[in-house]
Amino acid sequence: MDVNFSGHVTRRVPVEETTQVGQARREATALAEVCGFDETDVGRVALAATELATNMLKHGRGGLMHLSLVQGRHAQGVELCAVDRGPGFSLAQCLPDGYSTGGTQGLGLGAIQRQAAALDVWSDERGAIVLARIHAENAPRDADLAYGALRLPTRHEVACGDAWHLAFDGQRLAATLIDGLGHGVPATEAANAGAAAAAQAGPLAPADLLARLHGAMSGTRGGAAAVACLDVQSGMLRFSGIGNIAASVCDLNGARGLASHPGIVGVQYRKAQTFDLHVQPGNLLVMHSDGLQARWSLRDYPGLIQRHPALVAAVLQRDFDRGRDDAGILVVRLGAL
């Protein structure tokens, strides 16, 4: 199985009143059509989006829905991520049909689960996050890939100057994150040029891939970039970064940081230094731009490290987004693609 996928910009839909439920549904069905879903599968996505948005209003005091295209094992799918401000809930309690905290029929989460290739929930004092990934009905049971990513423009912008790319050829994984300088269209042009170079190159060694990005981003305003490459058989992770990209490998005992060096990819930097780190299957690779604060620790969220990587990305964005810059986040379960 080969993966060669660059992240599209994440769509954000506020859900604060009933008319926005329809907006969430329309945005979700538009993504389903981009995936090439047939009428039945588009309807499944519409149902899940409607249930998630309605639940946010009835039980979660409103919130935001993030909508993304995701790469599956054989084809693309749609990711719906509802982030609310409610009192939280227990997934085990709420999945069975008939359970409700709001006087409804209690069919919502069960209906979503029946459509989803992956469903996961995080709930704490700040609210709840419900993640659902939907693939075509005829997709294999193992369609979902164990990664999560968000590519979010800063407020009042449509273009996003952060970008990411995943390449996997069955033996080697390359995860790339790029932060174009500034924000808006010029930053987006720089980041997209780097992502296109990563897509063309495939899973090269980190320093070699950074050199490809440097050439492709020449003539743009440039940016920060980092590449993490995993040899699945040996468990060796190699990392090179230029500029302000944060990266860590996390396990149950804590996190090991991966250092980037000064410079601007596409403009000027010294030879990229590569760091080698032995990792275990199941470790989480977390990479993000400076649109997120770097002071987070997964130890503050007991059990989160074992949840779906997309849920980890959503929690970090909720709690550590600076709110004044584009935000790019990429989380990969190593050895699980």
Side-chain angles (χ1 to χ4, degrees):
M1 177 206 67
D2 288 346
V3 171
N4 193 6
F5 185 69
S6 295
H8 296 242
V9 175
T10 305
R11 304 188 186 190
R12 279 188 289 207
V13 181
V15 182
E16 305 289 351
E17 43 93 10
T18 54
T19 63
Q20 291 171 320
V21 173
Q23 179 65 21
R25 180 175 59 252
R26 288 188 292 273
E27 293 273 4
T29 55
L31 282 183
E33 290 166 355
V34 171
C35 288
F37 281 10
D38 63 22
E39 186 176 351
T40 299
D41 289 329
V42 170
R44 294 170 53 235
V45 172
L47 171 62
T50 301
E51 293 290 351
L52 281 173
T54 301
N55 283 348
M56 273 199 286
L57 285 178
K58 289 183 176 178
H59 310 294
R61 303 169 189 161
L64 272 174
M65 187 177 293
H66 293 155
L67 304 167
S68 305
L69 284 176
V70 292
Q71 179 63 47
R73 203 162 291 278
H74 302 287
Q76 293 180 11
V78 178
E79 178 182 289
L80 313 172
C81 188
V83 184
D84 71 34
R85 298 185 292 272
F89 60 88
S90 163
L91 180 61
Q93 283 184 323
C94 294
L95 272 179
D97 290 344
Y99 179 87
S100 175
T101 61
T104 64
Q105 291 181 302
L107 302 177
L109 277 180
I112 296 165
Q113 184 185 44
R114 287 187 284 274
Q115 312 307 324
L119 177 69
D120 208 350
V121 170
W122 181 258
S123 182
D124 57 25
E125 68 279 359
R126 298 190 182 192
I129 300 176
V130 182
L131 168 77
R133 283 185 168 178
I134 301 175
H135 290 271
E137 198 165 25
N138 62 359
R141 288 184 173 271
D142 64 346
D144 186 55
L145 293 178
Y147 82 91
L150 290 168
R151 186 184 178 190
L152 294 164
T154 191
R155 293 177 185 178
H156 311 302
E157 293 276 2
V158 176
C160 181
D162 291 357
W164 59 269
H165 183 82
L166 276 180
F168 182 58
D169 63 6
Q171 293 297 323
R172 296 171 300 162
L173 167 75
T176 303
L177 189 69
I178 305 162
D179 180 358
L181 285 181
H183 55 82
V185 173
T188 303
E189 291 172 346
N192 286 347
Q200 187 174 13
L204 295 178
D208 294 336
L209 188 48
L210 276 178
R212 295 283 188 97
L213 268 61
H214 183 64
M217 294 168 68
S218 177
T220 73
R221 63 169 50 180
V227 179
C229 295
L230 173 69
D231 182 282
V232 174
Q233 186 171 7
S234 69
M236 184 61 66
L237 182 79
R238 311 195 75 197
F239 176 86
S240 294
I242 299 295
N244 199 11
I245 300 289
S248 300
V249 173
C250 305
D251 59 24
L252 293 174
N253 297 315
R256 290 169 286 178
L258 302 167
S260 292
H261 292 277
I264 302 174
V265 178
V267 179
Q268 184 178 12
Y269 71 89
R270 296 181 180 178
K271 182 178 178 180
Q273 184 175 353
T274 299
F275 296 93
D276 293 346
L277 182 68
H278 188 76
V279 299
Q280 298 295 327
N283 288 172
L284 275 186
L285 170 67
V286 182
M287 303 171 69
H288 63 81
S289 70
D290 61 356
L292 256 64
Q293 303 171 52
R295 57 181 179 82
W296 55 267
S297 171
L298 293 187
R299 286 185 172 182
D300 296 333
Y301 301 87
L304 181 60
I305 193 171
Q306 297 167 312
R307 311 298 281 274
H308 197 289
L311 199 62
V312 176
V315 171
L316 293 180
Q317 188 277 328
R318 181 196 67 176
D319 293 351
F320 296 98
D321 196 311
R322 294 183 186 276
R324 59 178 185 269
D325 197 359
D326 301 326
I329 312 167
L330 180 59
V331 183
V332 182
R333 181 80 62 194
L334 296 175
L337 290 189

